[in-house]
Amino acid sequence: MSRSAVASPGEVPSARSLSTESWSIPMPPSSPPPATTYDRIKRVGDALVAGGALFMLLPVVLGTALLVRVRLGGNVLFRQERPGLHGQTFTILKFRTMLDPDPERGLMTNEERMTPFGDRLRATSLDELPGLINVLRGEMSLVGPRPLRTPYLERYSLEQARRHEVLPGLTGLAQVSGRNALSWDDRFELDLRYVRTRSLSTDLGILLATVPKVFRREGIAEDGQATMSEFFGPRRIGIHEIRPVGEEGSGGPWEIVDRSSGDVVARCELDRVGEAGRAMRIEVDRGAAEPELIRHRAAEMLVGLARELDADAVHLTVAPEDRPCEEVRDRLGFRPEREAVGSGPTTWVRTLGRGGG
C-alpha cells in the first residue's frame, strides 16, 4: 500500500499543511464535485469484479443464506437505508447477524440481539457478501468509506461530510487501519485521506490489506459494544479538538486545543436551560488566531456534546461583535430565538429532539 494510504489516524497536520489550511469559515460547496477520470474507470472495474465474485462465490452465498435462515429465522437479508454518493440514500444489503427486536424476551439493544452465530459471521465478514449486489448496481464500490446511518448526515462537520464525495465501499482505509476499534474522528480522518488520495495503487493496497485483516479478525467491534458506539458529532475539526477538563459527562467545562501547538485557544460549557435544554458558553482566548473560526468550530463540536447529553435543544447567545454571517448560522442549524435589541446580543436555538438530529 502506498505511504499516503497508511498514515496513522489522529495525526496532527504538519507545518506545511497548516500553512495552506483555509482560515475562512468553511461553507458547503454550491454543487457536488464532478467524478474524476479514475472514478469512472473504477466503476467499470467494480462491476466486473463484483459480477465475477458473485458467480464464483455463489455456493458460499447460498450456504450462508441457508445458515442464517436456520439459525436466526425470518428474513435472510438485512436491509437498511444508508447515504451513499453525495448523500443520496440507497438500500444496503447484508446477511442478518442479529435477532429481531423482542421486548418480551429482553432483546432490544444490539448487544442483547447479537448471537454467537452472528458474531462469527461478522468476524469472517461473510455478512458483507450481499454488498456485492450493491456494487454491481453502482450504489457502492469495492473500496471507499463505509456507508453509515442516515441520521449521521446532519451530524458531520463540513469536512467530515466530504466522505460522500465518493461511492461508499465494502472495505476502506479506515477498515484496514483499525476498523471499529478506531475513534469516530480517526475513522473520518482516514476516510477524508482516502477521498483526497484515491488512486489505483491505493485501492489495490487496501484490497490486499483487507485479506489478512479478515483472517485475523481485528477491530470487529469497539470495546464494550456489539459494533460501534453511536456517533453524536465531531470532537475534532481541522487542527482544533475539544477536550474535557476533568471528568466528562455533565456539561463541561471543555477546552478547545490547537493540536499543532498544544495551546488552549478557547474554553466552553453547556449550561442547563429548563428541563432538557443546553446553553453554549464559548470564550475564545484573547490573542488567539482566527477567533471566528475557533468559535464556529467550538459551536459545531458543542452541538454533538449536547446531543450526547440527551439535550432537546441547544442555545447560543452571540454578542454583536462576535456575530458570524447568516450562512454560518444556517450551516450549524440554528434559527433566531430572540433578536437583538439595538446593539444587544442575539440568541439562536437549534432543536435536537431526544435521540434525534
Side-chain angles (χ1 to χ4, degrees), residues 228-250:
M228 186 75 179
S229 58
E230 184 175 356
F231 172 65
F232 294 101
R235 296 288 188 99
R236 188 189 304 152
I237 303 177
I239 62 170
H240 297 116
E241 182 173 13
I242 192 165
R243 298 176 183 174
V245 178
E247 291 190 9
E248 189 172 359
S250 55

Side-chain angles (χ1 to χ4, degrees), residues 167-347:
L167 283 170
L170 292 179
T171 186
L173 183 54
Q175 281 59 54
V176 300
S177 303
R179 203 171 173 182
N180 289 335
L182 297 172
S183 71
W184 281 112
D185 289 289
D186 285 342
R187 290 179 68 180
F188 292 145
E189 283 191 3
L190 289 166
D191 287 343
L192 296 181
R193 188 167 299 154
Y194 174 77
V195 171
R196 293 191 300 267
T197 64
R198 63 190 186 276
S199 64
L200 177 60
S201 60
T202 297
D203 283 350
L204 290 176
I206 291 173
L207 288 171
L208 290 174
T210 299
V211 177
K213 287 285 182 181
V214 170
F215 282 106
R216 288 200 294 265
R217 305 182 181 183
E218 295 176 348
I220 298 165
E222 180 184 355
D223 289 343
Q225 302 287 331
T227 52
M228 186 75 179
S229 58
E230 184 175 356
F231 172 65
F232 294 101
R235 296 288 188 99
R236 188 189 304 152
I237 303 177
I239 62 170
H240 297 116
E241 182 173 13
I242 192 165
R243 298 176 183 174
V245 178
E247 291 190 9
E248 189 172 359
S250 55
W254 290 278
E255 54 190 23
I256 306 298
V257 177
D258 182 326
R259 294 190 297 141
S260 65
S261 64
D263 294 336
V264 176
V265 295
R267 292 164 178 81
C268 41
E269 296 190 37
L270 285 170
D271 299 327
R272 287 189 178 275
V273 176
E275 182 181 349
R278 294 280 177 167
M280 293 182 183
R281 283 200 293 129
I282 303 170
E283 297 180 6
V284 179
D285 283 8
R286 291 182 179 179
E290 300 296 331
E292 190 176 353
L293 177 72
I294 294 170
R295 192 173 289 108
H296 171 270
R297 288 179 169 176
E300 201 163 2
M301 291 185 277
L302 283 170
V303 168
L305 288 167
R307 187 182 292 112
E308 189 171 357
L309 293 169
D310 205 23
D312 60 10
V314 61
H315 307 257
L316 176 61
T317 300
V318 186
E321 65 272 17
D322 296 334
R323 196 176 300 156
C325 61
E326 291 185 2
E327 288 85 353
V328 173
R329 180 196 69 192
D330 294 340
R331 158 64 193 147
L332 293 176
F334 284 90
R335 57 177 175 77
E337 180 185 41
R338 188 171 61 251
E339 293 290 356
V341 178
S343 60
T346 298
T347 301

Side-chain angles (χ1 to χ4, degrees), residues 13-46:
S14 65
R16 180 179 179 184
S17 67
L18 290 177
S19 67
T20 58
E21 179 174 348
S22 172
W23 289 106
S24 61
I25 295 296
M27 297 304 298
S30 57
S31 60
T36 65
T37 301
Y38 176 66
D39 291 334
R40 291 188 285 269
I41 295 173
K42 180 184 176 184
R43 171 66 200 125
V44 177
D46 280 338

